[in-house]
Short mmCIF file of all heavy atoms in Angstrom, two decimals:
data_model
loop_
_atom_site.label_atom_id
_atom_site.label_comp_id
_atom_site.label_asym_id
_atom_site.label_seq_id
_atom_site.Cartn_x
_atom_site.Cartn_y
_atom_site.Cartn_z
N ASP A 57 1.22 56.19 -35.99
CA ASP A 57 0.60 55.23 -35.17
C ASP A 57 -0.82 55.55 -34.96
O ASP A 57 -1.86 54.78 -35.03
CB ASP A 57 1.26 55.14 -33.85
CG ASP A 57 2.65 54.35 -33.91
OD1 ASP A 57 2.85 53.73 -34.85
OD2 ASP A 57 3.35 54.48 -32.90
N ALA A 58 -1.17 56.90 -34.78
CA ALA A 58 -2.51 57.34 -34.66
C ALA A 58 -3.38 57.07 -35.82
O ALA A 58 -4.56 56.53 -35.73
CB ALA A 58 -2.53 58.80 -34.22
N THR A 59 -2.83 57.30 -36.99
CA THR A 59 -3.49 57.02 -38.19
C THR A 59 -3.74 55.50 -38.43
O THR A 59 -4.76 55.12 -38.82
CB THR A 59 -2.67 57.54 -39.39
OG1 THR A 59 -2.41 58.95 -39.30
CG2 THR A 59 -3.33 57.35 -40.76
N THR A 60 -2.76 54.71 -38.09
CA THR A 60 -2.99 53.23 -38.24
C THR A 60 -4.06 52.71 -37.14
O THR A 60 -4.95 51.95 -37.59
CB THR A 60 -1.63 52.57 -37.82
OG1 THR A 60 -0.65 53.02 -38.66
CG2 THR A 60 -1.76 51.04 -37.88
N HIS A 61 -4.00 53.28 -35.96
CA HIS A 61 -5.05 52.85 -34.99
C HIS A 61 -6.46 53.31 -35.48
O HIS A 61 -7.39 52.63 -35.22
CB HIS A 61 -4.69 53.35 -33.60
CG HIS A 61 -3.43 52.82 -33.13
ND1 HIS A 61 -3.13 51.46 -33.14
CD2 HIS A 61 -2.41 53.35 -32.45
CE1 HIS A 61 -1.88 51.24 -32.66
NE2 HIS A 61 -1.44 52.44 -32.17
N LEU A 62 -6.47 54.54 -36.01
CA LEU A 62 -7.80 55.07 -36.50
C LEU A 62 -8.33 54.17 -37.59
O LEU A 62 -9.45 53.86 -37.66
CB LEU A 62 -7.64 56.53 -36.86
CG LEU A 62 -8.92 57.19 -37.37
CD1 LEU A 62 -10.02 57.19 -36.21
CD2 LEU A 62 -8.69 58.58 -37.85
N SER A 63 -7.49 53.88 -38.47
CA SER A 63 -7.78 53.08 -39.69
C SER A 63 -8.34 51.69 -39.17
O SER A 63 -9.30 51.17 -39.71
CB SER A 63 -6.61 52.89 -40.62
OG SER A 63 -6.88 51.93 -41.62
N THR A 64 -7.60 51.11 -38.15
CA THR A 64 -7.97 49.78 -37.68
C THR A 64 -9.30 49.93 -36.96
O THR A 64 -10.18 49.01 -37.09
CB THR A 64 -6.94 49.31 -36.64
OG1 THR A 64 -5.64 49.22 -37.34
CG2 THR A 64 -7.30 47.88 -36.13
N LEU A 65 -9.55 50.90 -36.20
CA LEU A 65 -10.84 51.15 -35.53
C LEU A 65 -11.99 51.35 -36.48
O LEU A 65 -13.07 50.65 -36.44
CB LEU A 65 -10.71 52.46 -34.76
CG LEU A 65 -12.09 52.80 -33.96
CD1 LEU A 65 -12.44 51.75 -32.97
CD2 LEU A 65 -11.97 54.18 -33.29
N ILE A 66 -11.77 52.00 -37.64
CA ILE A 66 -12.87 52.22 -38.62
C ILE A 66 -13.07 50.98 -39.40
O ILE A 66 -14.30 50.62 -39.60
CB ILE A 66 -12.38 53.36 -39.62
CG1 ILE A 66 -12.55 54.71 -38.96
CG2 ILE A 66 -13.38 53.30 -40.82
CD1 ILE A 66 -11.97 55.85 -39.76
N ARG A 67 -12.01 50.20 -39.67
CA ARG A 67 -12.27 48.84 -40.28
C ARG A 67 -12.99 47.85 -39.45
O ARG A 67 -13.94 47.11 -39.83
CB ARG A 67 -10.90 48.26 -40.71
CG ARG A 67 -10.30 48.79 -41.88
CD ARG A 67 -9.15 47.86 -42.36
NE ARG A 67 -8.28 48.76 -43.08
CZ ARG A 67 -6.98 49.00 -42.88
NH1 ARG A 67 -6.48 48.44 -41.84
NH2 ARG A 67 -6.26 49.85 -43.52
N SER A 68 -12.74 47.96 -38.10
CA SER A 68 -13.43 47.04 -37.25
C SER A 68 -14.86 47.45 -37.00
O SER A 68 -15.73 46.61 -36.87
CB SER A 68 -12.69 46.97 -35.84
OG SER A 68 -12.78 48.11 -35.24
N GLU A 69 -15.26 48.75 -37.05
CA GLU A 69 -16.44 49.20 -36.99
C GLU A 69 -17.33 48.85 -38.18
O GLU A 69 -18.58 48.48 -38.07
CB GLU A 69 -16.61 50.76 -36.80
CG GLU A 69 -16.07 51.28 -35.43
CD GLU A 69 -17.03 50.87 -34.29
OE1 GLU A 69 -18.18 50.70 -34.49
OE2 GLU A 69 -16.55 50.70 -33.19
N VAL A 70 -16.74 48.98 -39.37
CA VAL A 70 -17.41 48.50 -40.58
C VAL A 70 -17.66 47.06 -40.65
O VAL A 70 -18.70 46.60 -41.03
CB VAL A 70 -16.52 49.06 -41.88
CG1 VAL A 70 -17.04 48.36 -43.14
CG2 VAL A 70 -16.55 50.50 -42.02
N GLU A 71 -16.61 46.26 -40.12
CA GLU A 71 -16.80 44.82 -40.07
C GLU A 71 -17.97 44.46 -39.16
O GLU A 71 -18.78 43.54 -39.39
CB GLU A 71 -15.53 44.23 -39.67
CG GLU A 71 -15.55 42.65 -39.78
CD GLU A 71 -15.63 42.27 -41.28
OE1 GLU A 71 -15.25 42.98 -42.16
OE2 GLU A 71 -16.23 41.20 -41.59
#
Side-chain angles (χ1 to χ4, degrees):
D57 287 345
T59 304
T60 302
H61 296 313
L62 182 63
S63 174
T64 303
L65 177 65
I66 290 172
R67 281 191 205 120
S68 63
E69 290 292 333
V70 167
E71 193 63 34

